């Protein structure tokens, strides 16, 4: 797909950064999830190009007007979401609790010419989601894996029928495999959920809200 030159330049720059950080990320993942979390303020921890394109497509397919991103990091996934929102006329709220990353996220959106389509909030999702009215069209969960179930349970009642929650890192790294398995089992038992794993990038779980309360 073709994107505006400014957007393409930001994505390319962030993809180059991600490639440079990959050896260190793999080393930390080999040590364990705690080590990765401790180093997280300095690493992108991005979804990667395949999942970025998927997110863009989902926003377009659902004609999303309100997107919630839980874990914006420095804005790689945010740029993909926001680019699609320029076509649907929608808006995103990106939650990034790390202040430095939130600043980088805002700068990257501005460089891509997408700042008007996203609000960035430096606050924990556990405090924010309960006070949001919704309805959400697309939700991305991509932060601490032990909080995935919490964020899903907070967002699911506010997801519109036909909306989708996307959770990243379902298949990789192996250090968080048990937590991700718990998440998958949890969401597949949610009322009105149709959920499946797509093995692209590090693996994503797509959980659609059906038109009935039967999965």
């Amino acid at each position: 797909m073709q994107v505006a030159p400014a957007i393409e330049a930001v994505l390319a720059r962030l993809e180059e950064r991600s490639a440079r950080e990959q050896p260190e990320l793999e080393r930390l993942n080999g040590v364990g999830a705690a080590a990765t979390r401790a180093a997280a303020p300095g690493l992108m921890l991005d979804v990667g190009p395949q999942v970025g394109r998927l997110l863009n497509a989902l926003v377009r397919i659902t004609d999303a007007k309100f997107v919630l991103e839980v874990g914006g990091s420095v804005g790689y996934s945010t740029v993909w979401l926001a680019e699609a929102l320029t076509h649907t006329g929608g808006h995103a709220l990106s939650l990034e609790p790390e202040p430095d990353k939130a600043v980088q996220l805002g700068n990257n959106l501005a460089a891509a010419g997408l700042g008007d389509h996203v609000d960035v909030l430096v606050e924990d999702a556990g405090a924010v989601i309960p006070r949001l009215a919704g309805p959400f069209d697309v939700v991305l969960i991509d932060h601490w894996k032990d909080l995935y179930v919490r964020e899903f349970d907070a967002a699911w009642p506010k997801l519109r029928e036909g909306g989708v929650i996307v959770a990243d890192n379902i298949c990789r790294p192996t250090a968080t495999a048990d937590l991700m398995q718990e998440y998958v089992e949890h969401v597949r038992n949610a009322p009105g959920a149709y959920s499946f794993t797509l093995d692209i990038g590090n693996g994503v779980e797509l959980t659609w809200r059906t038109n009935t309360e039967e999965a």
Side-chain angles (χ1 to χ4, degrees):
M1 60 174 291
Q2 294 292 322
V3 298
I7 297 173
E8 185 175 19
V10 171
L11 291 172
R13 173 167 51 79
L14 291 177
E15 286 165 8
E16 289 173 2
R17 173 178 170 180
S18 179
R20 291 195 306 270
E21 293 180 354
Q22 192 61 32
E24 176 63 7
L25 181 58
E26 291 176 358
R27 185 190 70 80
L28 291 167
N29 283 331
V31 175
T36 305
R37 188 165 184 162
L43 297 175
M44 275 182 59
L45 307 175
D46 58 289
V47 299
Q50 288 183 313
V51 176
R53 288 178 171 82
L54 173 67
L55 293 169
N56 187 280
L58 288 173
V59 170
R60 294 174 184 240
I61 290 167
T62 61
D63 192 31
K65 297 299 187 289
F66 186 12
V67 171
L68 175 65
E69 180 180 48
V70 183
S73 188
V74 302
Y76 182 79
S77 53
T78 325
V79 169
W80 278 113
L81 292 165
E83 195 283 333
L85 289 168
T86 66
H87 300 276
T88 67
H91 202 80
L93 174 62
S94 181
L95 307 179
E96 176 45 58
E98 292 287 345
D100 182 63
K101 281 190 172 181
V103 170
Q104 295 180 62
L105 194 163
N107 290 339
N108 285 323
L109 286 172
L114 297 169
D116 291 343
H117 296 276
V118 183
D119 290 325
V120 180
L121 193 57
V122 187
E123 195 170 346
D124 179 74
V128 176
I129 299 176
R131 69 175 188 251
L132 296 176
F136 310 131
D137 300 296
V138 174
V139 178
L140 171 63
I141 303 176
D142 183 26
H143 68 148
W144 307 128
K145 312 315 171 194
D146 57 317
L147 299 178
Y148 270 35
V149 169
R150 183 193 75 173
E151 318 307 17
F152 177 89
D153 286 347
W156 184 250
K158 301 178 181 185
L159 187 73
R160 71 161 170 86
E161 292 182 350
V164 61
I165 293 181
V166 183
D168 193 38
N169 293 111
I170 295 299
C171 302
R172 288 166 289 277
T174 57
T176 57
D178 290 345
L179 287 170
M180 295 296 89
Q181 182 59 37
E182 291 175 11
Y183 174 82
V184 167
E185 292 175 359
H186 182 80
V187 302
R188 293 186 184 186
N189 286 312
Y194 174 68
S195 194
F196 61 94
T197 300
L198 187 60
D199 193 358
I200 64 171
N202 288 318
V204 293
E205 184 75 7
L206 303 181
T207 309
W208 296 90
R209 190 176 187 96
T210 64
N211 292 328
T212 70
E213 287 303 304
E214 297 180 2

